[in-house]
Amino acid sequence: MNTANKRRNLVLTAEAERHPFRATLPPHVLTDELAAPAESLWRLTVEDVRGFATVYVATFAAMLVFIA
């Protein structure tokens, strides 16, 4: 057999060409759409600030313990 006949394109040229693993996934996994608009995804919430502050304080405390 010729190896040129076995070669496959790395880039898909049509939407009909799908990866075998993706074909086995249920349809709800492949949806890329989010219910929320894009503007609301970039807003900073109180939970974001609280999470950042928690991680910052925990890291600072760990570094103090490590140094001391």
Side-chain angles (χ1 to χ4, degrees):
M1 280 191 148
N2 190 359
T3 57
N5 293 338
K6 288 184 173 182
R7 283 193 186 166
R8 295 177 55 178
N9 293 335
L10 294 177
V11 178
L12 298 178
T13 57
E15 285 295 321
E17 297 179 26
R18 294 177 36 182
H19 192 273
F21 176 73
R22 285 181 57 96
T24 61
L25 294 175
H28 74 276
V29 174
L30 298 176
T31 57
D32 294 333
E33 301 173 14
L34 296 173
E39 293 83 22
S40 66
L41 295 175
W42 289 98
R43 289 194 181 139
L44 193 62
T45 63
V46 175
E47 294 173 4
D48 295 332
V49 174
R50 185 179 298 137
F52 175 79
T54 303
V55 171
Y56 182 82
V57 170
T59 304
F60 185 73
M63 291 303 295
L64 279 178
V65 168
F66 181 72
I67 291 172

